[in-house]
Amino acid sequence: MSETTQPKPVADERVKEMSSFRRALIRPELGGICGTIAVFTFFLLFAHDSGMFNSQGVLNWSTVSAQFMIIAVGACLLMIAGEFDLSVGSMIGFAGMMIAIFSVTLGWPVWLAIMVAFVLCLAIGALNGVIVVRTGLPSFIVTLATLFILRGFTIYFPQLLENKTIIGGIREKAEGDWLAPLFGGKVLTGFFQFLGEHDLIATFERGSRQGEPVVDGIPMLIVWAIFLIVFGHVLLTKTKFGNWIFASGGDAQAARYVGVPVNRVKILMFTFTAFCAAVFATCQVMEFGSAGADRGLLKEFEAIIAVVIGGALLTGGYGSVLGAALGALIFGVVQQGLFFAGVESSLFRVFLGVILLLAVILNTYIRRIITGER
């Protein structure tokens, strides 16, 4: 009985094979990883003896990076869904000012002021989304209008009520409050005290705090950043809703044909972006003990730049929360590293412009690989 031989599978000529190098290129995090390695290498070479990498230095650039990360997570998910929110910076200033007015000027408990500020921000974010999906107007225009409206109210309300644009006294009002430590407290204080007692981290050598660790805990700002990064990454990569986000930004009409609730996804992403802005604002006012009308200025652009560095396409449908977090880390390290390296701090803006241009060029090349364009 003769053996039958199985025919060899014939490659489908319609399927274009992609090399392993090109597969690596289309990873959203590639730009962020390369940028992070380059930035750390530079400062390890030129600022290693300046204190940038001791406990206090690490805390400084980690805190700044965490600020960028919080708003970058929301901006990333929204951009993957195919939309932009230019009102993030004004939302930060508005939320902080509302907390200050409600708690200091009107005498409300801080926990109530925080909750009401969050509700206002979420409502404004949802309204942005509703206007975009109902009218079909570009989100760039809608949120640009919101940017000016919120910034105007942020300046007008404190001048009307207090005749000034900075309201202090929040830290004193927050003493004993049950919700304030969730945004302005620190964690692992006992662990850092242990490290200081065993000379594993730097301690104060003189004064009233002699013997205490220079870094006495991890600020809640950093905790919030880590939580939002993990939440955003899991949501985007492990859930059906994450697939809906990609589909909504990739081809909204095709997504609707297969049952994706595109409008609801976009509105929720606008709302989540507002939530991230409110978290940032609350942590900021708890840290400084005051709210200023100019807080959050240009943060919307810094968030978008971080997301683009992290590999997201401006056309939507592609990106990574981890990549956006790396982009934010690059921002924090460079902003603080220029100081430690003795470089003029104004050059940070030059860096932002250069890195944005390079990231857009790289992402355009990646888009062409994905779509097969030339």
Side-chain angles (χ1 to χ4, degrees):
M1 193 171 182
S2 61
E3 296 183 358
T4 59
T5 58
Q6 294 290 334
K8 293 182 179 180
V10 180
D12 191 337
E13 62 181 8
R14 296 170 298 178
V15 179
K16 185 177 179 181
E17 291 293 328
M18 184 179 292
S19 66
S20 57
F21 174 70
R22 288 204 162 195
R23 282 196 203 95
L25 273 181
I26 66 172
R27 290 292 303 170
E29 303 90 356
L30 178 65
I33 293 171
C34 293
T36 301
I37 294 172
V39 164
F40 272 95
T41 301
F42 176 84
F43 287 113
L44 282 170
L45 291 174
F46 295 100
H48 64 279
D49 57 350
S50 63
M52 181 176 176
F53 294 100
N54 62 23
S55 57
Q56 185 63 51
V58 171
L59 179 65
N60 286 341
W61 53 257
S62 296
T63 302
V64 174
S65 297
Q67 295 176 356
F68 291 121
M69 288 175 184
I70 288 173
I71 53 177
V73 171
C76 178
L77 294 178
L78 182 61
M79 285 178 63
I80 293 174
E83 306 294 346
F84 294 91
D85 190 347
L86 296 184
S87 67
V88 169
S90 295
M91 187 84 71
I92 291 170
F94 177 77
M97 188 58 69
M98 290 303 99
I99 292 173
I101 289 175
F102 291 147
S103 62
V104 176
T105 304
L106 301 182
W108 294 8
V110 172
W111 64 266
L112 181 59
I114 292 173
M115 286 186 172
V116 173
F118 265 85
V119 170
L120 287 174
C121 289
L122 295 179
I124 295 169
L127 180 61
N128 280 337
V130 170
I131 294 174
V132 168
V133 301
R134 292 290 177 85
T135 65
L137 292 172
S139 55
F140 176 90
I141 298 299
V142 173
T143 57
L144 183 62
T146 308
L147 178 155
F148 285 109
I149 293 170
L150 291 180
R151 186 62 68 185
F153 280 139
T154 305
I155 297 171
Y156 173 73
F157 286 144
Q159 286 185 327
L160 176 67
L161 299 172
E162 296 274 3
N163 201 27
K164 54 187 177 182
T165 57
I166 298 178
I167 298 178
I170 299 174
R171 186 176 290 114
E172 291 76 15
K173 285 286 296 184
E175 291 181 2
D177 189 86
W178 65 269
L179 186 58
L182 188 62
F183 298 92
K186 294 183 178 181
V187 298
L188 300 179
T189 53
F191 175 69
F192 281 90
Q193 185 68 36
F194 170 82
L195 294 178
E197 291 173 354
H198 292 79
D199 296 325
L200 297 175
I201 59 173
T203 57
F204 290 101
E205 297 180 357
R206 60 179 65 90
S208 60
R209 299 188 62 187
Q210 183 176 356
E212 295 183 16
V214 175
V215 177
D216 58 356
I218 298 176
M220 286 303 300
L221 181 76
I222 296 177
V223 176
W224 271 105
I226 295 172
F227 168 75
L228 289 172
I229 290 168
V230 173
F231 172 79
H233 177 69
V234 172
L235 177 71
L236 193 62
T237 61
K238 305 295 182 182
T239 68
K240 181 173 69 173
F241 191 83
N243 292 331
W244 289 356
I245 295 173
F246 280 114
S248 299
D251 190 331
Q253 194 57 48
R256 289 188 178 96
Y257 288 150
V258 296
V260 175
V262 173
N263 290 354
R264 180 158 52 115
V265 169
K266 290 179 181 285
I267 292 171
L268 286 173
M269 289 302 95
F270 275 107
T271 306
F272 180 68
T273 303
F275 174 82
C276 292
V279 169
F280 181 105
T282 308
C283 291
Q284 190 178 63
V285 296
M286 291 303 150
E287 177 186 0
F288 294 131
S290 64
D294 62 342
R295 299 275 170 84
L297 202 62
L298 299 180
K299 289 299 180 186
E300 58 275 357
F301 297 109
E302 293 171 353
I304 291 173
I305 294 172
V307 175
V308 172
I309 294 174
L313 296 179
L314 296 173
T315 52
Y318 184 83
S320 163
V321 171
L322 295 181
L326 289 174
L329 178 63
I330 291 171
F331 273 12
V333 172
V334 170
Q335 190 178 70
Q336 295 297 299
L338 291 176
F339 168 78
F340 284 107
V343 179
E344 173 58 43
S345 60
S346 60
L347 292 178
F348 176 63
R349 299 297 173 187
V350 177
F351 165 80
L352 290 187
V354 172
I355 200 70
L356 174 61
L357 181 61
L358 293 176
V360 170
I361 292 172
L362 175 62
N363 291 348
T364 300
Y365 177 66
I366 291 173
R367 179 179 60 80
R368 289 176 178 173
I369 294 176
I370 295 172
T371 60
E373 298 177 8
R374 293 190 177 185

